[in-house]
Amino acid sequence: MPELPEVETQHRDLIEAGVVGLSITGVAVHWHRSLVLNSTRMADLNGLIIEDIKRRGKYLHFCLSGNLNLLIHLRMSGSLRLRNSYGSQDSHDRVIVHLSGGLDLVFHDPRKFGRITVTDNPEAILGKLGPEPLDAHFDAAAFYAMLAQRRRKIKALLLDQHFVSGLGNIYVDETLFAAGVHPERVSNTITEEEAARLLDSARIILSSAIEQRGTSLGDGESNFESNGYRGRNIGALKVFQRSGQPCLQCGRQISKTVVAQRATHFCAACQK
DNA sequence: AGTGGCCCCTGGCGGC
DNA sequence: TGCCGCCAGGGGCCAC
């Protein structure tokens, strides 16, 4: 599921719900492989206070007292849900963190791809991520320079979290369309002007998706949703999952191929 | 350095 | 209706 806008929506919801300042009173693990533990044990979390919650790329970063951190990556199907501790459970609840005040933080993950890492050194993971597209310090000149020193298909590069962080399959396809760049263009052939258009497009698309609380595909319950929300961004998609339908700019049918092992939607007329 | 294949998992959907 | 294969918003690892 979640790319930057969906993770950011979860982040904002957690802040809004007042989770910062609560303490951990217990942890129940229903699927052990959701956890990546180093030397820490989950029992070590008992009594720790959630001092801050941040987002970096597609990670949610819970800063705990005692210099510990939870890094949560939702991967394909994960979501975080908050509910009263007496609320009904779901068979896809993998890890439940009991909080002070009778609240449960539930890691819900049908496909079991998500991971919760407990670490005293979050930078070992977060430090390897590429820049945030929405970071104002990340400018077009820097982006162009990064593209120029690589020779990869632009789509593969934009999906690579070590290159830039936060973009996934939906928003990469949408960004490439908005910038008029073909997904298979090799990165060092991208012009300075195209690089600027790509970064601008990514920012506009991500920002407006955040305002819409992300993109929810299909209508199944399985499409995540923290606390029952559904992102409203699907109506803004111009190429993603629109193969065979007319391009909204030129009318030609949207094409679908595979690039970097991922379904790829684009307009062969508008994207060069 | 860059690419493609495979794996981790479950559930929904289209086709027959 | 029932079964089956295919597909999925992510990412790590490995061989070439």
Side-chain angles (χ1 to χ4, degrees):
Chain A
M1 120 191 178
E3 306 179 30
L4 190 156
E6 293 76 29
V7 178
E8 179 58 24
T9 298
Q10 298 239 310
H11 174 235
R12 293 181 181 188
D13 284 356
L14 291 165
I15 300 291
E16 177 84 7
V19 172
V20 173
L22 300 182
S23 58
I24 295 172
T25 59
V27 180
V29 180
H30 298 312
W31 180 253
H32 199 267
R33 295 175 66 176
S34 295
L35 301 175
V36 180
L37 299 172
N38 298 322
S39 53
T40 314
R41 293 167 300 126
M42 288 310 273
D44 295 341
L45 299 180
N46 289 351
L48 300 185
I49 297 166
I50 297 172
E51 295 183 333
D52 199 2
I53 306 173
K54 307 174 190 173
R55 180 193 59 75
R56 176 78 173 89
K58 300 176 190 172
Y59 284 90
L60 284 165
H61 177 191
F62 290 72
C63 306
L64 308 178
S65 55
N67 195 35
L68 274 181
N69 303 266
L70 296 182
L71 295 179
I72 302 185
H73 198 302
L74 303 169
R75 293 280 181 96
M76 292 285 273
S77 65
S79 62
L80 290 177
R81 299 173 173 193
L82 280 173
R83 65 172 180 234
N84 294 321
S85 50
Y86 49 80
S88 59
Q89 301 210 352
D90 183 291
S91 61
H92 297 126
D93 293 347
R94 306 305 180 193
V95 178
I96 299 175
V97 179
H98 302 296
L99 302 175
S100 53
L103 210 55
D104 280 352
L105 177 65
V106 180
F107 178 62
H108 181 268
D109 186 24
R111 289 179 70 184
K112 300 179 174 174
F113 286 159
R115 291 292 179 267
I116 300 176
T117 302
V118 184
T119 178
D120 58 8
N121 182 19
E123 276 307 300
I125 293 171
L126 303 181
K128 293 178 182 165
L129 295 176
E132 294 275 335
L134 293 177
D135 181 347
H137 299 300
F138 181 34
D139 63 39
F143 184 50
Y144 174 66
M146 288 166 61
L147 291 169
Q149 63 190 62
R150 305 295 295 275
R151 295 184 182 194
R152 290 182 74 186
K153 289 177 183 171
I154 184 66
K155 169 148 182 174
L157 210 42
L158 294 179
L159 283 173
D160 183 345
Q161 303 300 298
H162 300 305
F163 185 75
V164 287
S165 57
L167 293 172
N169 210 30
I170 297 177
Y171 298 109
V172 165
D173 279 4
E174 293 298 316
T175 295
L176 288 167
F177 174 76
V181 174
H182 192 286
E184 300 194 88
R185 280 280 296 287
V186 177
S187 55
N188 68 345
T189 71
I190 303 275
T191 66
E192 202 161 355
E193 192 185 339
E194 287 172 325
R197 279 211 307 271
L198 281 167
L199 185 55
D200 271 356
S201 301
R203 286 175 166 159
I204 291 166
I205 285 165
L206 291 171
S207 305
S208 94
I210 290 170
E211 285 176 28
Q212 298 300 313
R213 298 178 56 77
T215 303
S216 297
L217 297 176
D219 50 16
E221 187 275 339
S222 65
N223 292 303
F224 73 101
E225 327 311 346
S226 80
N227 306 324
Y229 90 75
R230 291 189 60 75
R232 301 179 297 263
N233 195 60
I234 190 165
L237 302 182
K238 295 195 166 67
V239 287
F240 192 81
Q241 291 195 347
R242 288 196 67 248
S243 50
Q245 297 178 49
C247 171
L248 299 172
Q249 273 178 197
C250 77
R252 176 174 174 157
Q253 281 197 357
I254 298 298
S255 307
K256 182 175 180 181
T257 58
V258 174
V259 179
Q261 286 92 247
R262 311 298 299 279
T264 297
H265 317 74
F266 67 102
C267 174
C270 296
Q271 294 174 251
K272 303 298 183 188

